[in-house]
Amino acid sequence: MESAQSERLRRSSGRGCAMRHDGSIVEFQQKRGGDSAAFFVPFLTSDTILLDAGCGPGTITVALAGIVGSAVGVDIEPRAIAAASARAAEAGLTNLTFAEADMTALPFEDGSFDAVFFHAVLYHQSEAVLTRTLAEARRVLKPGGFLATRDADVGGNVLHPEIDGVRLALDLWQRWYEHDDPKALFFGRRQSSILRAHGFTPVWAGASYVNHSADAASRSEAVADARRSLLGLGPQLVGKGLAADDEIQAALAGWEAWGADPDAVYFRCRCECVARKD
């Protein structure tokens, strides 16, 4: 059931996830920054010129700016760039800039960067948009430069206890991201082969987890994040015919039950890859 609006939303996701940038997502991104790019740090130096494509609120860009020569973050969503610029100003960083830009048509000269980073961006894209995005990344990279990706793979998520309402909530979020291709949900494990197919040479691959259950405080935070997201996205899911009101309520109840269990765990898998432009 593909409407013209659905197609527009999917296309826009390839240009910086503009339609996904609601308040709950921003709040979540702002809580986790440096650890999301830790795998890329060994490939960076104090002379590196870095591009963070689809930078969102700039948390990761700010963290990386502290170890590279200079950094640029781009996103198509103006609110994201405003939040990122404010964060950079608060940090007092002078080697970091942010700009509103389409990652499929970057406003930079060929070979402008030593490194390009994509975090939680590529798996939202259609095949055509992904091809344009990676072609642009290759164009703006210097020969020998590195490209790093970190993206989701639902096959690696760890959840306990298996509460139906929580599983429903995870399914609702997948419906929102409009994955028409079932393989998109397992994008993370395929990053090396995808980058190789687009002219890069993978040099490192790994995985890590976002831990939503380290202690009682983090579980409480996870429930609060889930609640904000479901309440924010719920009316849109229902309005687009992707969910019913009772499903939203069941998902909310599921997270409350999960949060009440002192032994509950939820680890979200993130696969990582570093590749070189030869």
Side-chain angles (χ1 to χ4, degrees):
M1 126 180 135
E2 178 83 347
S3 66
Q5 171 143 352
S6 295
E7 176 62 20
R8 181 175 65 80
L9 287 171
R10 186 170 58 236
R11 287 200 307 268
S12 69
S13 70
R15 295 175 289 151
C17 302
M19 302 304 294
R20 317 304 186 196
H21 204 277
D22 67 8
S24 59
I25 294 174
V26 173
E27 288 183 22
F28 174 78
Q29 290 174 320
Q30 289 175 338
K31 291 171 184 171
R32 296 167 172 85
D35 57 343
S36 298
F39 73 99
F40 198 25
V41 171
F43 297 88
L44 307 175
T45 72
S46 59
D47 296 322
T48 296
I49 304 172
L50 170 75
L51 172 65
D52 184 4
C55 64
T59 311
I60 295 173
T61 330
V62 167
L64 290 176
I67 61 173
V68 300
S70 63
V72 178
V74 298
D75 199 289
I76 199 170
E77 170 56 53
R79 289 174 296 175
I81 295 302
S85 298
R87 181 173 288 272
E90 290 172 5
L93 295 170
T94 59
N95 66 334
L96 171 60
T97 58
F98 290 97
E100 187 179 337
D102 182 338
M103 68 177 67
T104 68
L106 294 168
F108 306 113
E109 298 293 331
D110 296 0
S112 296
F113 297 95
D114 301 298
V116 176
F117 184 57
F118 291 101
H119 183 265
V121 171
L122 298 181
Y123 95 117
H124 299 308
Q125 299 183 342
S126 68
E127 184 175 345
V129 172
L130 178 64
T131 295
R132 295 199 300 273
T133 297
L134 291 177
E136 275 294 270
R138 183 174 175 80
R139 180 184 68 78
V140 301
L141 260 180
K142 297 177 182 178
F146 291 104
L147 180 146
T149 62
R150 186 175 191 255
D151 245 313
D153 193 303
V154 298
N157 293 342
V158 177
L159 175 68
H160 173 79
E162 293 279 346
I163 295 174
D164 289 342
V166 177
R167 282 294 179 193
L168 174 59
L170 301 181
D171 180 59
L172 291 173
W173 287 320
Q174 295 303 332
R175 295 181 204 176
W176 172 248
Y177 282 105
E178 299 172 331
H179 291 129
D180 294 327
D181 180 1
K183 292 190 299 182
L185 301 179
F186 303 95
F187 184 91
R189 69 188 64 184
R190 297 185 293 116
Q191 289 176 119
S192 289
S193 60
I194 290 170
L195 293 179
R196 191 182 301 278
H198 286 83
F200 297 92
T201 301
V203 296
W204 186 90
S208 59
Y209 284 86
V210 180
N211 186 356
H212 295 280
S213 49
D215 50 29
S218 59
R219 277 189 291 272
S220 178
E221 182 179 276
V223 172
D225 284 340
R227 183 174 180 81
R228 278 192 297 271
S229 178
L230 287 166
L231 290 175
L233 294 179
Q236 300 173 70
L237 284 163
V238 173
K240 294 174 66 175
L242 297 174
D245 284 318
D246 60 350
E247 288 184 300
I248 306 298
Q249 296 307 313
L252 288 167
W255 275 107
E256 293 296 335
W258 178 89
D261 186 336
D263 299 315
V265 297
Y266 178 35
F267 309 137
R268 289 199 308 152
C269 179
R270 290 292 180 264
C271 296
E272 302 155 345
C273 184
V274 179
R276 180 189 293 112
K277 174 183 174 178
D278 292 325

